[in-house]
Amino acid sequence: MKNGVIISFEGPDGAGKTSVLERIIPLLQAQGLSVLVTREPGGVAIAERIREVILDVHHVNMDYKTELLLYMAARRQHYVEKVLPALENGKIVLIDRFIDSSIAYQGAGRGLDEATITQLNDFATDGRKPDITIYLDIESELGLQRIAQNAEREVNRLDLEKLDMHQRVRQGYLRLAEQEKDRIVTIDASRDLDSVVEEVYQVILQHLA
């Protein structure tokens, strides 16, 4: 069995994860690296259907624990169906959101017990964590401003949360980054896209080396 690598991309809403990922893919491929790009929730048919339920703007009455469990169900299906086979084939798996999102959003944001969330994460991924996590940090106000100005971006149920929810999420991420400095690399995402992409690219190359 070959050993693949998981690189997760995390950040508050509006941090630019997807834009950075789109720019990173060809750079890594130009190095001759075998790359798989995917996202959470989603990535495979079943998980994409769950994503539709979670992020539907009409589902404003969704219970927080229901939300968490739906994310975990999507994570498990995505992991066994797509991520694990790619790892076994030695690929570099780039994931737009992974286990840390649950701690930040459902833990810090929703106020659910973070120890329980960690146990559920471990259950869903058989204890597998990312080899490295790129955390794109941005102040909540700026992130929401970017969302409002991007007409092409998918607006989902979480985008409609009040500012204080987004601020709690960011603080949750910052706390995680402080606790797991060996895994989580914090990048200032308030800068121009070219600068952010270049720093992320260099961080990944250094890790792979």
Side-chain angles (χ1 to χ4, degrees):
M1 180 185 298
K2 298 179 181 178
N3 293 319
V5 174
I6 296 178
I7 301 175
S8 63
F9 286 71
E10 296 281 0
D13 292 284
K17 298 182 317 312
T18 304
S19 298
V20 172
L21 258 171
E22 290 174 351
R23 295 274 295 273
I24 287 294
I25 297 163
L27 295 176
L28 295 178
Q29 290 174 333
Q31 296 288 331
L33 298 170
S34 180
V35 177
L36 171 72
V37 184
T38 187
R39 70 174 182 176
E40 281 201 357
V44 296
I46 293 173
E48 287 289 342
R49 292 292 297 275
I50 297 173
R51 178 188 180 92
E52 293 173 9
V53 174
I54 296 173
L55 299 182
D56 191 323
V57 294
H58 298 99
H59 294 168
V60 293
N61 293 326
M62 185 177 293
D63 178 78
Y64 294 163
K65 290 183 180 181
T66 300
E67 179 183 88
L68 172 63
L69 292 170
L70 285 171
Y71 273 114
M72 291 300 169
R75 177 161 301 142
R76 177 61 184 177
Q77 188 64 34
H78 175 241
Y79 181 76
V80 297
E81 187 175 337
K82 191 169 188 178
V83 176
L84 192 56
L87 293 175
E88 291 173 345
N89 286 320
K91 291 188 176 183
I92 298 169
V93 182
L94 307 179
I95 308 181
D96 186 341
R97 296 204 182 283
F98 195 38
I99 59 173
D100 298 305
S101 283
S102 296
I103 300 293
Y105 280 84
Q106 283 70 54
R110 300 299 198 195
L112 298 181
D113 181 61
E114 294 185 13
T116 299
I117 297 172
T118 297
Q119 290 177 335
L120 289 170
N121 273 332
D122 289 343
F123 184 68
T125 67
D126 300 324
R128 179 66 190 257
K129 285 188 173 185
D131 297 277
I132 185 170
T133 294
I134 305 296
Y135 168 57
L136 300 173
D137 182 52
I138 191 169
E139 291 186 358
S140 304
E141 293 86 349
L142 180 55
L144 293 177
Q145 181 181 332
R146 284 182 175 180
I147 292 172
Q149 293 173 345
N150 186 356
E152 298 179 356
R153 186 186 187 279
E154 170 195 44
V155 176
N156 60 55
R157 187 171 57 87
L158 295 180
D159 293 332
L160 303 179
E161 293 286 346
K162 294 180 180 179
L163 177 61
D164 62 339
M165 163 68 174
H166 292 278
Q167 291 172 332
R168 292 195 301 273
V169 168
R170 181 181 180 229
Q171 291 305 311
Y173 271 126
L174 290 171
R175 187 174 67 253
L176 275 171
E178 181 66 23
Q179 292 170 347
E180 299 196 48
K181 291 181 179 179
D182 291 342
R183 174 174 68 86
I184 302 175
V185 179
T186 301
I187 306 288
D188 179 4
S190 67
R191 299 170 296 160
D192 64 277
L193 183 58
D194 288 343
S195 299
V196 175
V197 168
E198 178 60 25
E199 184 174 356
V200 170
Y201 179 52
Q202 294 302 323
V203 167
I204 292 175
L205 288 184
Q206 182 178 1
H207 175 81
L208 295 177

